[in-house]
Amino acid sequence: MSAFTGSARDTASVPGAGGDLLAALLDGMDAALCALDAGGTVTHWNREAERILGWPAAEAVGRRGFDGWAARSADAEETLARLMGAMRTPGRQVHELALLRKDGGRVLVRSQSAGVRGADGRPAGVYCAFSEVHAQIDLERSIALSEALFDDAPWGVVLIDADLRPAVVNGHAARAIGTGRTTLLGRPLGDVVAQGVEELEGALQHVLAEGGPPAPADLWVTLAASPGAGERRRCWRSGFVRLASPLTEEPVPLGVAWLFQDVTEERLAAREADRTRFRWNQLHRAGVAAAEYADPAEAVAVLLDFALAGFADHGLVDRVAGARRLTRAVASPAGAPDADGLGGGFPQRYGPEHPALQAWDRAGSVRVDACRRAGGDGGGDATAWAAERHWPADTAYALCTALRSRGRTVGVLTFLRTAARGAFDRQDALYAETVAARVATALDAPPPH
């Protein structure tokens, strides 16, 4: 039993490095530690136990049980019995105990106790590690939070190390990015983010240097193409938290916790709603303004000027002038380069497969762009493609729609975009057809009496 008795201070006085090492280990522990021999007498008491309860080792070691000092008389025997029960039970026993501080205050601790056996294999006593319950609960909450976040949280969570590389990735984040949880570890973010990686890394660098931003931010990124799928444009609502080690005197950044949610659909819906409101407001303003012009050409020009805002770069109105012939009626904006389009009533030199003629034949809309040739024809670069169709040289996308009035086609309306804008989509075609209905009505208006 001599190896099991003595306080940390007593052990420190034992000659040799072994005693010094044991004393240092006991006093350096973060948890409070006490040990009792088989008769229930305290044999070890470290500095953390002294800090929590206020009893120094000199007053604790040698006492039997806790009655009269570390526990109330009504609780002392039960407390000792619960701890000593660990000698007869395999494994660790966890208890919550109400102990007394030296100043008389009560403190609730959570203990883990286990039996100790001597060289002969017989029970020699127990050791008990304990800490204040609130500190233990805080630790358990932190561990539980970490496990919950990295289990299957409804947010993407990625721990980024100080070198801006993923160190831990939860399942939600891996699915959002489109890869496995371990695939991302240690790889540069540019391997999975084709566009927007500079903004993402800039945010991470700011957090490492200055701390987290005051509010979450939207980050638009384009994910790198995966086998069998193209690039994906996504919007991630992102929050950042700087991680620093609690075990150093000066804060040392360990990395950044990046939490995000995919809000692409919500942001696109909001953007579409804003665009729709703007366009219909433009149509209202255009109708009010065009109503003040007696000349149909002037009314059509006003309608086109309003319709182009935020929608296209050029607008052309060609009027039917006979079988498969169209003449230029209006070009907007006024004075803009009009390639080699002919005015003055001369027929436009459109080929038989020209999109304007296709829209006339279909009595509907036709969308084309410089990369997807209408009718499957060949061609050179975008400039040559535009020149072949007698459009301005910077044209990259076109939308032609028939002008229908009183049951017949009276012309064709063409909207043109440069490469700075995206291609026309189905919603753009619906808007263009609405504009075309108003242009056709104005163009086909009977002369005033």
Side-chain angles (χ1 to χ4, degrees):
M1 286 291 294
S2 59
F4 190 68
T5 59
S7 70
R9 309 292 197 279
D10 297 334
T11 306
S13 65
V14 175
D20 294 340
L21 177 60
L22 179 57
L25 289 174
L26 292 176
D27 281 342
M29 293 179 64
D30 292 331
L33 178 70
C34 72
L36 301 94
D37 64 17
T41 300
V42 177
T43 61
H44 291 76
W45 191 266
N46 72 349
R47 291 185 186 276
E48 185 64 11
E50 178 180 339
R51 185 194 68 80
I52 293 176
L53 296 179
W55 295 97
E59 298 183 40
V61 173
R63 291 178 181 263
R64 183 189 180 281
F66 303 102
D67 191 9
W69 64 290
R72 295 191 312 174
S73 298
D75 302 329
E77 287 303 320
E78 180 185 357
T79 298
L80 181 61
R82 292 169 71 181
L83 293 179
M84 299 307 293
M87 284 198 308
R88 300 180 298 276
T89 307
R92 293 181 302 167
Q93 302 296 307
V94 178
H95 304 287
E96 289 189 358
L97 307 173
L99 300 180
L100 285 179
R101 293 178 51 84
K102 188 175 182 180
D103 60 11
R106 297 187 72 192
V107 59
L108 185 64
V109 302
R110 180 170 294 176
S111 69
Q112 296 186 45
S113 55
V116 176
R117 295 187 177 274
D120 58 1
R122 295 180 180 180
V126 298
Y127 77 84
C128 172
F130 63 91
S131 60
E132 295 177 80
V133 165
H134 70 82
Q136 182 72 17
I137 290 176
D138 287 344
L139 174 61
E140 292 178 2
R141 282 174 179 159
S142 297
I143 295 173
L145 174 61
S146 299
E147 292 180 348
L149 288 175
F150 289 106
D151 185 12
D152 196 17
W155 309 278
V157 183
V158 181
L159 294 191
I160 305 293
D161 65 21
D163 296 320
L164 304 186
R165 302 196 178 203
V168 184
V169 180
N170 78 342
H172 188 101
R175 290 191 295 273
I177 297 172
T179 185
R181 292 181 62 176
T182 59
T183 306
L184 294 173
L185 302 185
R187 295 174 56 187
L189 292 171
D191 287 358
V192 293
V193 179
Q195 296 178 16
V197 66
E198 296 87 356
E199 291 77 4
L200 175 55
E201 289 184 341
L204 295 170
Q205 291 165 358
H206 172 82
V207 174
L208 282 171
E210 304 291 339
D218 286 353
L219 289 176
W220 282 93
V221 299
T222 300
L223 300 178
S226 57
E231 293 184 340
R232 294 183 295 140
R233 180 79 168 157
R234 311 305 298 169
C235 181
W236 290 334
R237 186 70 170 165
S238 301
F240 303 91
V241 179
R242 180 169 61 178
L243 304 178
S245 173
L247 303 179
T248 57
E249 294 182 3
E250 296 293 331
V252 176
L254 297 177
V256 178
W258 170 32
L259 294 85
F260 68 90
Q261 281 188 309
D262 192 322
V263 294
T264 307
E265 302 305 324
E266 294 90 328
R267 296 298 180 265
L268 291 178
R271 180 182 297 178
E272 180 63 27
D274 292 340
R275 184 173 66 173
T276 300
R277 283 193 296 268
F278 174 78
R279 288 179 176 179
W280 291 110
N281 185 55
Q282 285 296 99
L283 282 181
H284 171 72
R285 295 174 61 206
V288 172
E292 300 300 320
Y293 291 89
D295 185 350
E298 292 181 347
V300 168
V302 168
L303 287 169
L304 270 187
D305 286 341
F306 277 96
L308 285 178
F311 181 69
D313 299 291
H314 299 278
L316 308 174
V317 174
D318 295 325
R319 191 165 192 168
V320 171
R324 303 287 290 177
R325 291 196 305 168
L326 294 169
T327 59
R328 181 61 43 79
V330 175
S332 183
D338 191 20
D340 58 351
L342 300 176
F346 290 101
Q348 298 298 309
R349 298 180 307 213
Y350 293 157
E353 299 300 322
H354 194 281
L357 297 178
Q358 292 183 20
W360 183 359
D361 292 339
R362 299 178 187 179
S365 297
V366 174
R367 288 175 282 154
V368 295
D369 63 60
C371 298
R372 186 176 67 248
R373 311 291 182 179
D377 59 354
D381 58 17
T383 301
W385 175 84
E388 290 171 4
R389 288 152 182 79
H390 309 287
W391 290 331
D394 59 354
T395 298
Y397 311 103
L399 170 58
C400 301
T401 186
L403 298 173
R404 300 283 295 174
S405 176
R406 294 186 286 183
R408 70 192 195 285
T409 298
V410 298
V412 176
L413 170 62
T414 300
F415 287 109
L416 306 174
R417 288 177 176 174
T418 64
R421 299 179 185 269
F424 292 99
D425 57 24
R426 180 54 188 158
Q427 293 300 317
D428 294 330
L430 292 176
Y431 177 68
E433 289 166 4
T434 305
V435 175
R438 301 194 178 201
V439 169
T441 299
L443 196 64
D444 196 37
H449 295 292

